[in-house]
Amino acid sequence: MKRRDRVKIIQGKEDELLDIELNKDLLKRNEELARGNKRILEKENVLAIDIMGSIGSGKTSLIENILTRLKGRRIGVIGGDLTTTIDAERIKEKGAQIVQVNTGKECHLDANLIRKALRELNLREIDLLFIENVGNLICPGEFPLGAHQRVVVVSVTEGPHMIKKHPYIFQTARAVVINKVDLAEAMEVDLEELKADALRVNPGIRVIRTNCRTGQGIEEVIEVLKVGV
Amino acid sequence: MHEYTISSSIAKTVLTSAEENQAHKVVAINLEIGALVFLNPEQVEFWLKELFRETIAKEAKIRIKNIKPRIKCLDCNYEGAMKVDDNLLYHIMIPSFFCPQCSSRQIMVEKGRECLIKNIEIVK
């Protein structure tokens, strides 16, 4: 008997209820893409850092400060923003290669958007890539992008509960940068308490205090992320 | 917004699969969402209903199963539920990423991180 003769075909009748197994995990797909991104970056020897944090906490200022200190290095920046290019303009002035990703309505970058952005960058001409995520402490945590390290930026002007209210995002981060420390007293925010909150969620996390206006703490960020020469 | 993004992907996947299977109508959608994904099931359902308007899935029943976090401890071999602080002060549950038995941080999350379209029921 020929093989195809043995195949049994079940023909669904009209109006028959059929159960279609999908078993599709939507977040897994992002994780696969993220792993692919990491392979692409590693092939070109690019170290990538995902910078997450709340709105106005100082993500762009932090990148600007790092770029100033690492002047002369070959650096790329992917900037995620809902609609504007304000941040991208600021970065461009520092001489980095920049790709702006406007997410439109989406509240986070995902691995697919990063894949597209990587195509726009000349990876052979950079050694270091900063990815500035959309200002948000909730969903970026759920979507790995393929970066080697993640950093969360918070600032004292957001009040004392920022970390304990959004624990998840700190669990996958290498470091938390507490910015605007010069305003801590005026804001009545206890920096030690913020640090304790971060360590409670992730005992391995490095807590760094910065003031991006003066450049305080930036050297430490560079050291912790091992992005210096 | 997080829920909207995820719901859009769910809707797209459901409608594509329904089309591939020559569905005439989608009757039900079964989802499994882990507690550690922090998706609000009520919002997911709301957005799916909006996204399914004017489609063959507009009358679909949306069933969302919440998957409780389960961990395995690599130090003492504990397998089971994760300790969760459900403090109303913080509005959300705060999972404790350590072993409730021996307090080790060396744990593996076995369940609770899924965002799964289990299956769909269609009429041809």
Side-chain angles (χ1 to χ4, degrees), chain A residues 42-150:
Chain A
E42 275 167 4
K43 213 178 123 205
E44 305 292 345
N45 289 316
V46 177
L47 178 74
I49 318 274
D50 178 7
I51 305 207
M52 309 179 288
S54 35
I55 298 171
S57 59
K59 297 181 293 300
T60 312
S61 301
L62 179 71
I63 295 174
E64 278 179 312
N65 269 277
I66 296 174
L67 291 178
T68 307
R69 301 281 161 126
L70 299 181
K71 210 170 171 200
R73 292 278 307 277
R74 308 185 316 155
I75 302 175
V77 177
I78 297 175
D81 221 323
L82 294 178
T83 51
T84 69
T85 56
I86 297 169
D87 291 353
E89 299 300 328
R90 285 167 62 188
I91 297 292
K92 212 154 65 184
E93 276 172 27
K94 298 278 174 192
Q97 234 192 89
I98 170 119
V99 174
Q100 164 90 17
V101 180
N102 280 347
T103 56
K105 287 187 194 122
E106 288 179 54
C107 41
H108 57 267
L109 290 175
D110 62 27
N112 181 42
L113 288 169
I114 293 303
R115 180 69 57 93
K116 286 186 189 165
L118 289 180
R119 277 187 217 126
E120 300 298 319
L121 281 167
N122 191 345
L123 294 176
R124 297 230 160 105
E125 282 178 12
I126 59 170
D127 307 304
L128 187 57
L129 175 66
F130 291 101
I131 303 170
E132 183 179 341
N133 221 310
V134 179
N136 184 345
L137 283 180
I138 306 159
C139 16
E142 299 291 332
F143 294 86
L145 306 175
H148 298 87
Q149 296 192 15
R150 313 184 89 182

Side-chain angles (χ1 to χ4, degrees), chain A residues 18-20 22-24 171, chain B residues 97 117-120 122:
Chain A
L18 287 176
D19 204 349
I20 313 275
L22 285 179
N23 274 319
K24 273 201 182 149
Q171 273 157 8
Chain B
F97 282 78
I117 309 175
K118 193 81 188 135
N119 61 342
I120 58 173
I122 60 165

Side-chain angles (χ1 to χ4, degrees), chain B residues 66-82:
Chain B
N66 175 35
I67 309 291
K68 291 210 170 108
R70 278 183 76 84
I71 57 158
K72 187 179 176 179
C73 176
L74 301 179
D75 281 332
C76 76
N77 290 324
Y78 166 86
E79 266 183 78
M82 175 184 249

Side-chain angles (χ1 to χ4, degrees), chain A residues 159-193:
Chain A
H161 305 305
M162 232 27 178
I163 296 176
K164 49 177 168 272
K165 277 186 176 175
H166 307 90
Y168 185 78
I169 200 161
F170 297 93
Q171 273 157 8
T172 53
R174 170 80 189 93
V176 52
V177 169
I178 303 176
N179 193 24
K180 309 183 195 172
V181 286
D182 53 316
L183 300 176
E185 216 182 294
M187 289 302 299
E188 294 178 16
V189 168
D190 183 348
L191 292 170
E192 283 304 315
E193 207 172 295

